[in-house]
Every structure is written in C-alpha cells, then in structure tokens.
Amino acid sequence: SRTGSSGNSGEVNIAAGANLNATGAVIVDASTDANFLGTINAPGAKVSLGGEAVALGNAPVGLGGLVLSAEVLAGLSDAQSLSLRSSDTVDLYGSGAINLDAVTIDARGFRSFLAAGDSFEINTGSARLINTGDTVGGPITGDGEFSFNAGELDIGGGTIAFDGFQQVNLNADVLAWSGEATLLSPAATKMNVGVFAPLASTRLSIEVANDLSIAAAAMSEENLLIPELGGQLGITANSIRADSRFQLPSGILSLTS
C-alpha cells in the first residue's frame, strides 16, 4: 500500500495510442486520477492498480479516479494476477467481465451504475476481498446483475457492500474468511458455495436486506481445506434457503430471518 502521501495530488495519464508493456510486474498507484486511454499488455505479469476510486467498464468521459475501460480489462486477461485498490468503492459501468487466474480487491465494496439488463462478472480461480479502510459509502439506487465467480474466495476483513444491484451472485467452490468481516447486500442474493470454512478464529457476517438462496456448488475433494477452530458465521436475510456445506469445528453458525 502507498505511504507518505496526503492523497491531495498526483495523477497518472496513459495517452490514447500508448501501450504499456510488461512481463514481470505493473504497478500504478495514483493519489487522485489515473486515466487509461491506451492499453496494457502484461502477459504473465502481476498487475497492481490503485486510485482514490475505481471505475470498471464504460464509464463517463471525465470521471475521476482510476478508470479501466472494457478494452483495458480485456488486455489484462493474460496477466498472472490483478490487484485493485480503491480508497472508496469499485463502480461498475455497463456489461463487462474480468477473467483472470487470481484477483485481489481492496475497497469499500461494489456499486452499480449498470442499466437494466446489464451484467458484470468477475471470473477467477482464486480471489481475496478486503476493505482495509473498513468504512462503507452511502447506498445508491441502481440496476443490473453482478456475479463474482471464484474457485476459492477469501474474505480478508472489513465491511464490503454490494450497492445498487437488482441481483447479486456469489459463487465459489470454497468461501473462506481470514479476518473479521461483513458482506452487505440490499439486493436479492444467490450463492453457490461448495463449502464455507474459516481460515482464522474470526467471524464472517453476511447481511442481506432481501431474499438469500444458498445452493451447494459441485467441488472436488482437492479443493477442501482444513478449517481453523472457533470460526463463526452469521447469516441474516429477509428469507434464507440454505443447502450447502458448513465446516465450523468448535465454531458457531447462526441463520436469522
């Protein structure tokens, strides 16, 4: 993470027609705005991008923060990993997708600026969601569907909100947590999870202000992990339909509707 910066200045601009090439690592961290009008070509590289806010997809011209267009995201598809850091939220504009082997996102959560019928997906083998700022923004009214699909999803800590969506889908072979964490979703939410398991003796809270459906995802035995003792999982929703595997040795599972 960045240190020694007030966050009051500092812009990164990659002009139209420019091509940022790397095979080892790409690190772009802007205190305010980062404008990507060119492309990033980073086969096999570890890519780390950060800004005051992050927008993905067809964002309006002139939007502040770190803006990654659909073209830039497509150019990152052969990177080894992608790390996104936002001091605020990750905002989604228009239908699109991120397809990578490994994704880490440090932000207050995700916000929908999608239109009706739009959908945005993040597809990855392993993922980590964390909010090191541990604050969330105010709710917004939006539309569209958001899907996060991972082989293994680790919730690292903090409060992570999914705001403005009509539908939220969280799918993982393994959904684990390694810190005190809360997932917030005002929208109808569907989860397909092979197993819920703690990586530390901490609590994960899933709070859905709508209906929640949890189905059992198919998974292989090789994806099973050894859960930590004493983990806690609390799930609250308007209604809960749960059919999955919960591994909480010496732990606590609570379902409240």
Side-chain angles (χ1 to χ4, degrees):
S1 61
R2 184 192 333 110
T3 59
S5 170
S6 66
N8 296 325
S9 62
E11 294 185 2
V12 175
N13 294 288
I14 298 179
N19 187 17
L20 180 59
N21 292 288
T23 55
V26 175
I27 301 175
V28 176
D29 192 5
S31 299
T32 54
D33 297 340
N35 301 306
F36 284 87
L37 301 179
T39 59
I40 301 177
N41 183 31
K46 296 180 179 180
V47 179
S48 178
L49 306 174
E52 185 177 13
V54 173
L56 306 179
N58 300 317
V61 175
L63 185 71
L66 170 67
V67 180
L68 302 176
S69 68
E71 291 75 16
V72 171
L73 293 175
L76 293 173
S77 61
D78 56 357
Q80 177 181 335
S81 63
L82 173 64
S83 176
L84 290 177
R85 183 202 57 79
S86 172
S87 300
D88 199 338
T89 53
V90 175
D91 297 340
L92 307 179
Y93 292 85
S95 294
I98 293 177
N99 301 292
L100 279 163
D101 288 340
V103 173
T104 297
I105 298 177
D106 181 356
R108 294 179 178 180
F110 300 86
R111 294 195 305 174
S112 173
F113 291 88
L114 306 176
D118 284 349
S119 62
F120 198 100
E121 294 185 356
I122 297 178
N123 305 303
T124 180
S126 65
R128 190 167 196 253
L129 297 180
I130 190 169
N131 178 7
T132 53
D134 201 24
T135 58
V136 295
I140 65 169
T141 300
D143 215 317
E145 182 173 351
F146 177 55
S147 298
F148 200 110
N149 307 308
E152 181 174 330
L153 172 59
D154 172 31
I155 310 300
T159 300
I160 300 164
F162 302 85
D163 280 325
F165 301 97
Q166 287 296 311
Q167 176 74 46
V168 173
N169 306 307
L170 300 177
N171 306 312
D173 292 343
V174 178
L175 193 155
W177 57 100
S178 54
E180 298 287 336
T182 301
L183 299 180
L184 299 176
S185 175
T189 302
K190 293 182 179 180
M191 305 180 74
N192 284 277
V193 177
V195 61
F196 292 81
L199 297 176
S201 354
T202 52
R203 178 180 175 86
L204 171 63
S205 298
I206 300 174
E207 301 177 9
V208 176
N210 208 303
D211 298 326
L212 172 63
S213 172
I214 304 175
M219 62 176 295
S220 62
E221 292 297 318
E222 64 184 19
N223 288 334
L224 291 177
L225 51 78
I226 300 176
E228 184 63 46
L229 297 175
Q232 299 182 39
L233 175 60
I235 301 175
T236 303
N238 182 48
S239 69
I240 302 173
R241 183 175 181 178
D243 178 14
S244 188
R245 184 173 184 174
F246 301 90
Q247 287 189 318
L248 294 153
S250 302
I252 298 174
L253 171 64
S254 62
L255 306 177
T256 306
S257 64

